[in-house]
Amino acid sequence: MKKRSLLAPVAAGSAILALLIAATLFGFRVQQLSSPKPASDLTHLQQVYLQEQLDKNFPERLALVSALPYKTVDADLFINAASAILIDTQTGSILFEKNADALIPPASMTKLVEMYVVFEAVEKGEVSLDDIVPLPPQSWAINLPRDASIMFLAEGQRVTLNELLLGLAIASGNDASIAVANFICGNMEDFVERMNRVVEGLGLTHTHFVESSGYSELNVTTAREFAAFSRVYINRFGYALQNYHSQNVLRYPQQHNLAPNQQWQGDSQAITQYNTNKLLGKLEGCDGLKTGYIDESGYNLALTAQRNGMRFLSVTMGGPGKGSVQGNQYRVADGFTLMDYAFASFADYRAPKDSDAHSVTVCVAGGKADSVRLVPAFDETFTVPFISGTSPQDAAKQIQVDIQAPKAIYGQAVCAEQYGTLTYSLNGVVLRTIPLIADRSVTKGSAVKLLWDRAALFVANRIIQ
């Protein structure tokens, strides 16, 4: 008889053990793919790279104003101004427009860009609002054209940068504009160059300035582009609304503004001027923004109002009127028409406060990392339309969000590539879709891992189903 080898049972046992271990590991991997662990938080460099790739892959993210993401019936509004536009400042969505690309001088609305440059300079520490500003002769009211708006600057006065900004915002003082420009940059030419860099940096190709006050007809813009600028101005320097643009009265010069040798009978002799924006105190929620008029432009107005957390902005240009009284009547009428329409017809949907509410963790089978997070490619806030039988605010609360995402991504994931979709609907009507994109890249693993995970993913998909 042949003796049985003692190694055979050992080998068989080892093989069975190896199979059991492999099966256990395989089952564990199937479980991992079925319920992936959340991806780690992005590093700072990963966050920067994600933003760069988003801007590259979805350039529409950079648009300052854009059409609504759904079809609407054009509003039947009668607007006196030759050119007009109405936007939601939160989303940049255009709610109404009329000849919005007509080239028209902005007139004194130009001063908003001047104030933007000043606020930037304050942010950078170049100047302080408490700085005393020298008044060159060209800024003295007596040296300006008779039809120029002025805050009554004069030789020898002591005035702060903050007071000059009030003069710009309330009285639309061209004298204040000249003083500010010279203070910030030393001369008008360099200051205007800085203004033009601001609008060029925002991608406004039809807006250009030759001086800071708006007196020249060679300054030019469109209602669409000026609304885009004004949206940025409000969202970046929102404090300017309360501190400057909603202030109704300017009393200047006061005792402290005068040189010691000037005779004065106290502040009661200060000249009182009221804000050129006649909608302040008349239109509910109005807190800005800026008027403008020269013969070549007609009556212009950048107007904003806020109610219940909603803010809208309109720009009307080329307004008619024989004289300021009639011109203001038309501006006021247009302002009421546009703002009443906006607040009655639209509200904002805002995503849940939890920033990850609509993100999805997805496994990357065969990748060097196990999972990525799929996140919305755009800000989820959007403008919701009026639905019959409810208010816009109620409609915004009834938005339904549907998340479509894959169960897994095989092999690799590419940062900012789309892998899913968010769909927003109201009463069965789709209002908006947003791509869900990978928040980071994951490279392929080894050939063995790719084969192993392909098999595990095959089983995981059957289990999930």
Side-chain angles (χ1 to χ4, degrees):
M1 290 181 63
K2 293 184 178 179
K3 293 183 178 180
R4 294 181 62 184
S5 171
L6 296 176
L7 296 177
V10 174
S14 298
I16 292 172
L17 180 60
L19 287 173
L20 288 173
I21 292 173
T24 300
L25 292 174
F26 186 77
F28 180 70
R29 186 56 179 158
V30 169
Q31 179 61 32
Q32 284 183 318
L33 296 179
S34 301
S35 303
K37 291 182 179 180
S40 61
D41 292 337
L42 294 177
T43 65
H44 175 69
L45 289 178
Q46 285 177 317
Q47 292 174 1
V48 171
Y49 183 71
L50 172 61
Q51 292 303 313
E52 291 175 348
Q53 294 304 111
L54 281 170
D55 292 344
K56 176 182 177 182
N57 292 355
F58 303 97
E60 60 269 37
R61 282 166 43 91
L62 303 177
L64 298 177
V65 295
S66 58
L68 287 162
Y70 47 85
K71 291 183 179 180
T72 60
V73 177
D74 292 341
D76 184 18
L77 303 180
F78 177 76
I79 301 299
N80 296 284
S83 176
I85 194 167
L86 172 68
I87 69 168
D88 179 344
T89 61
Q90 178 69 34
T91 65
S93 291
I94 299 169
L95 312 180
F96 173 84
E97 62 177 283
K98 171 187 175 182
N99 301 328
D101 295 313
L103 290 169
I104 299 173
S108 282
M109 293 194 309
T110 299
K111 295 180 175 76
L112 289 178
V113 184
E114 178 169 22
M115 293 179 73
Y116 186 102
V117 171
V118 173
F119 294 141
E120 270 197 335
V122 171
E123 271 192 353
K124 295 175 181 178
E126 298 173 14
V127 295
S128 166
L129 292 175
D130 295 325
D131 287 343
I132 300 297
V133 177
L135 300 180
Q138 60 266 37
S139 72
W140 302 345
I142 195 172
N143 292 332
L144 268 64
R146 288 188 176 183
D147 60 345
S149 300
I150 54 175
M151 69 174 288
F152 294 95
L153 296 180
E155 181 179 4
Q157 292 177 353
R158 289 173 52 84
V159 57
T160 65
L161 181 58
N162 185 66
E163 289 175 306
L164 289 173
L165 292 179
L166 287 167
L168 290 173
I170 299 172
S172 196
N174 288 6
D175 48 358
S177 176
I178 295 168
V180 167
N182 279 271
F183 177 65
I184 298 296
C185 289
N187 59 75
M188 180 61 71
E189 291 74 19
D190 289 344
F191 187 83
V192 171
E193 182 180 344
R194 194 159 170 174
M195 290 174 64
N196 285 323
R197 285 203 303 269
V198 165
V199 295
E200 289 167 6
L202 297 176
L204 308 182
T205 58
H206 300 295
T207 301
H208 184 77
F209 304 103
V210 298
E211 53 84 35
S212 65
S213 73
Y215 188 77
S216 172
E217 75 280 7
L218 299 180
N219 293 328
V220 67
T221 190
T222 68
R224 188 185 311 279
E225 289 201 348
F226 206 82
F229 164 77
S230 297
R231 181 192 175 207
V232 174
Y233 178 82
I234 288 173
N235 289 339
R236 182 173 177 185
F237 302 118
Y239 60 84
L241 294 173
Q242 179 178 349
N243 294 352
Y244 302 100
H245 300 294
S246 63
Q247 299 299 313
N248 200 39
V249 180
L250 176 71
R251 298 180 67 247
Y252 185 90
Q254 299 186 46
Q255 184 70 53
H256 69 271
N257 298 119
L258 302 177
N261 61 345
Q262 289 182 292
Q263 296 297 316
W264 199 249
Q265 298 299 318
D267 292 347
S268 62
Q269 287 187 290
I271 298 168
T272 299
Q273 295 189 79
Y274 295 94
N275 201 306
T276 57
N277 181 0
K278 303 308 177 184
L279 282 141
L280 289 174
K282 294 182 180 179
L283 174 68
E284 181 187 351
C286 177
D287 53 6
L289 196 56
K290 189 72 189 72
T291 60
Y293 173 81
I294 55 175
D295 291 343
E296 294 83 358
S297 73
Y299 289 89
N300 299 341
L301 175 62
L303 175 69
T304 186
Q306 184 176 33
R307 302 175 195 169
N308 301 318
M310 282 290 303
R311 179 176 291 282
F312 297 105
L313 180 140
S314 65
V315 174
T316 51
M317 304 182 72
K322 295 181 179 179
S324 61
V325 172
Q326 190 178 72
N328 278 320
Q329 288 175 344
Y330 286 124
R331 280 198 289 213
V332 168
D334 286 348
F336 269 105
T337 297
L338 290 166
M339 289 298 165
D340 286 348
Y341 166 70
F343 285 108
S345 306
F346 299 95
D348 283 342
Y349 164 80
R350 291 180 171 87
K353 292 182 179 180
D354 181 359
S355 59
D356 292 331
H358 294 150
S359 68
V360 184
T361 297
V362 176
C363 68
V364 183
K368 288 187 177 180
D370 284 340
S371 64
V372 295
R373 186 180 293 117
L374 302 186
V375 298
F378 304 100
D379 184 339
E380 291 188 71
T381 302
F382 71 99
T383 311
V384 178
F386 168 79
I387 299 295
S388 178
T390 185
S391 70
Q393 291 76 21
D394 289 339
K397 296 174 183 176
Q398 296 170 17
I399 293 294
Q400 296 177 323
V401 184
D402 179 55
I403 301 175
Q404 295 292 327
K407 297 166 185 174
I409 300 170
Y410 180 71
Q412 65 179 3
V414 179
C415 180
E417 287 290 323
Q418 180 177 354
Y419 293 95
T421 304
L422 288 177
T423 302
Y424 306 83
S425 59
L426 180 62
N427 296 344
V429 178
V430 174
L431 296 179
R432 190 188 190 196
T433 58
I434 293 181
L436 281 172
I437 56 92
D439 69 343
R440 72 200 72 197
S441 292
V442 175
T443 56
K444 289 182 180 179
S446 65
V448 172
K449 186 172 186 182
L450 284 166
L451 290 172
W452 177 262
D453 276 5
R454 180 183 287 277
L457 185 60
F458 177 83
V459 174
N461 285 336
R462 299 300 182 275
I463 293 173
I464 296 172
Q465 289 177 348

